[in-house]
Amino acid sequence: MADTVISIKDAVVSYREDVALRGVSLDVIAGEFVGIIGPNGAGKTTLLTVVNGMGKLLSGRVTVLGDSLRSGNGRSLRKRVGYVAQVDNIDPRMPMDVREVVMIGRFGVLGLFRRPGKSDWQIVDEMLELVGMTHLARRPIGHLSGGEQQRVAIARCLVQEPELFLLDEPTASLDWKAQSEILELVKEIHNSRKLTTLFVTHDLDALPHTCDRVVLMKDGLIVDDGPPDQLISTSSLSQLYDLPESVVEARRPHMHVKE
Amino acid sequence: MDFSIFGYQFMQNAILSAFLGGIACATVGVFVVLMHMPFIGVTMSHAAFAGALLGLWVGFDPLIGAFAFSLVAAAIVGPLADRGELSPDTSLGIIFSLMLGVAFLFLGLMPGTKSSALELLWGSILTNTRGDIILLAVVAVVVVGLVVIFFKEIQATVFNRNIALSVGLPATIILYGVLFLTGATVTASLRSIGGLLIFSLILNPAAAAYQLTYSMKWMFILSAIFGVLSGWVGLLVSYLLDVPSGATIVITSSVIFIIATVFSPKRKVRHWKEESLADE
């Protein structure tokens, strides 16, 4: 039987008065590529932060990579989970170059008091090559375009040598070309490194065709979960995004949606 | 010109204090600049001033009061910066004005002459004692030592705290450590530079270094050099013009910042961007 690497049972997470997750349960098996879609505010990012130990559970149980998540063990878990967060504005004057930013991914694995050695820099250079950023390795990080910064974020995540690959809206605010290149890259990395991937997006155009499974979220709940061919239909999207079916139909040629 | 004054013990103490205080303040300043929290530093330096005045009024060592108050300020502003719950500028503005109000309340309540209190406001590096220098030396060594030991953790945290947390680094502890170091540095430099002026010596050298380099390591080194230079040139100007040294030190640091900004290679990036926009 395949290994379950993520097991979430009745997770409830709340930020002040807003309940971000209202009793979510999800099991993910090793090697799966899961797309999590839903409108803004559905709880998708919160679900990822629960998996990497940064979200604080009000109730429920989360087991990730065999460890039950408690308040004290989030940090050790995060070293094994690669997380590509949503694009943040980077100060153009930030005194760090691309190579140094990618190296941050090794810091948790290295632990306190240990400096990066030759082998760590070698891993950084390999990952920069993998994401096609070797030519910009010495460029100040703030001088990159959105798509380039996202490639750096993916390289930073990979130098961690993670077992889980979490991506939060990795293609948001990117142009069409950068978006399709990042999707291609993520797909390739997932397959070649045999990772378990959770890919969050609110944009169906960005949903990788290769998802083994799609989870639909709305208002802090998982409303559906299954293979993309069965789930992503005009009627399910109409309900998910509160749009009339005619509007979903009109947009369909641009989306990977069956009738 | 008569430079025999530099042979006197009090002047040598002042030169040493400017060196140590310059390094400590400028190093802490790098965090303040890179973590975009200049208001936190202002708030803490005024809290330290209020604490020192309480010490003077009640009759205990002003430096203990300064340290205690800056730690209290760190305990209040830390969670604000950490969680981002309120608009930090608004809440820090309230704490800052409260600390200033408390400081002037203590000043008003204090019986007798206020000269020692005013010294804490403007600073008097020329009256620094051996004890002041030892305190400055301890703080400078601790600040620089921690930066060297935890450079990679600091580098990740100032780049992006959430990313540092997500790779398994203790970014929250680093943030509170930075606030604690800021409090300790402000306290140790209070008597030399003064509560109203200390913050410029924290901010200006680091802001100047920020204009000149894309390397964080060099930013720390340049900032420390500018901090020491501000202290020494400020002392010299103070002696030559016979004006208060705290003021000349701070003005020198501001001049260094202006020069660095004018000659900043980073401005070229902006020009280049502006040109390419104009072409479109």
Side-chain angles (χ1 to χ4, degrees), chain B residues 7-268:
Chain B
Y8 289 95
Q9 182 70 46
F10 79 91
M11 196 44 136
Q12 286 168 0
N13 282 353
I15 291 169
L16 201 52
S17 301
F19 175 76
L20 296 167
I23 289 177
C25 289
T27 306
V28 162
V30 174
F31 303 123
V32 171
V33 168
L34 289 180
M35 292 170 101
H36 304 290
M37 51 182 204
F39 223 21
I40 286 182
V42 183
T43 306
M44 289 184 63
S45 56
H46 286 81
F49 177 56
L53 289 182
L54 178 68
L56 277 179
W57 175 39
V58 176
F60 58 87
D61 188 342
L63 292 188
I64 292 174
F67 194 48
F69 264 57
S70 57
L71 288 189
V72 169
I76 298 171
V77 301
L80 292 175
D82 192 19
R83 291 181 210 147
E85 283 197 356
L86 298 164
S87 156
D89 285 349
T90 310
S91 40
L92 282 173
I94 292 166
I95 300 166
F96 162 71
S97 50
L98 171 71
M99 287 300 169
L100 207 56
V102 168
F104 283 108
L105 178 70
F106 292 152
L107 199 63
L109 291 172
M110 216 179 283
T113 61
K114 320 276 190 211
S115 59
S116 50
L118 289 174
E119 257 180 27
L120 289 174
L121 200 59
W122 307 117
S124 63
I125 200 166
L126 295 172
T127 60
N128 268 9
T129 61
R130 201 179 162 77
D132 293 327
I133 293 173
I134 291 171
L135 180 64
L136 273 172
V138 168
V139 169
V141 167
V142 168
V143 168
V144 174
L146 288 176
V147 169
V148 171
I149 294 169
F150 296 108
F151 184 75
K152 74 177 197 300
E153 286 78 11
I154 287 167
Q155 196 182 27
T157 306
V158 298
F159 174 65
N160 185 314
R161 209 138 36 86
N162 278 335
I163 288 175
L165 276 174
S166 76
V167 300
L169 293 175
T172 307
I173 295 172
I174 299 273
L175 171 75
Y176 280 90
V178 165
L179 292 176
F180 175 81
L181 286 183
T182 309
T185 305
V186 165
T187 303
S189 315
L190 196 62
R191 200 131 56 190
S192 311
I193 314 295
L196 279 185
L197 304 177
I198 178 76
F199 189 65
S200 307
L201 196 56
I202 289 179
L203 187 63
N204 292 348
Y210 189 48
Q211 304 300 322
L212 299 177
T213 179
Y214 282 111
S215 153
M216 202 177 290
K217 215 172 274 177
W218 273 104
M219 187 173 166
F220 275 107
I221 293 167
L222 283 175
S223 182
I225 291 171
F226 293 154
V228 173
L229 205 62
S230 304
W232 285 352
V233 174
L235 262 179
L236 185 66
V237 174
S238 152
Y239 167 64
L240 293 176
L241 302 181
D242 194 19
V243 286
S245 54
T248 52
I249 290 172
V250 166
I251 291 168
T252 308
S253 72
S254 306
V255 171
I256 291 174
F257 170 73
I258 292 166
I259 295 170
T261 307
V262 169
F263 292 102
S264 168
K266 298 187 181 183
R267 277 163 57 88
K268 286 179 191 152

Side-chain angles (χ1 to χ4, degrees), chain A residues 16 52 54 74-76 78-79 81-83 85 88 90-97 100-101 104-116 140-143 156 160, chain B residues 34 36 83-85 147-153 155-156 158-160 162-171 173 210-211 213-217 219 264 266-267 269-270 273:
Chain A
R16 280 157 256 138
N52 82 347
M54 281 170 77
R75 198 140 59 84
S76 60
R78 285 197 285 278
K79 293 177 188 177
V81 179
Y83 181 55
D88 238 351
I90 297 177
D91 183 348
R93 296 179 181 212
M94 174 56 73
M96 285 178 82
D97 67 23
E100 289 173 319
V101 170
I104 290 176
R106 297 288 304 157
F107 290 172
V109 185
L110 275 169
L112 293 174
F113 309 112
R114 277 187 62 201
R115 285 173 187 273
I141 183 71
H143 291 194
R156 192 198 66 235
Q160 240 178 293
Chain B
L34 289 180
H36 304 290
R83 291 181 210 147
E85 283 197 356
V147 169
V148 171
I149 294 169
F150 296 108
F151 184 75
K152 74 177 197 300
E153 286 78 11
Q155 196 182 27
V158 298
F159 174 65
N160 185 314
N162 278 335
I163 288 175
L165 276 174
S166 76
V167 300
L169 293 175
I173 295 172
Y210 189 48
Q211 304 300 322
T213 179
Y214 282 111
S215 153
M216 202 177 290
K217 215 172 274 177
M219 187 173 166
S264 168
K266 298 187 181 183
R267 277 163 57 88
V269 173
R270 211 176 67 208
K273 276 187 180 163

Side-chain angles (χ1 to χ4, degrees), chain A residues 147-158:
Chain A
E148 289 164 346
Q149 284 182 2
Q150 208 51 281
R151 283 171 183 271
V152 172
I154 291 170
R156 192 198 66 235
C157 173
L158 293 177

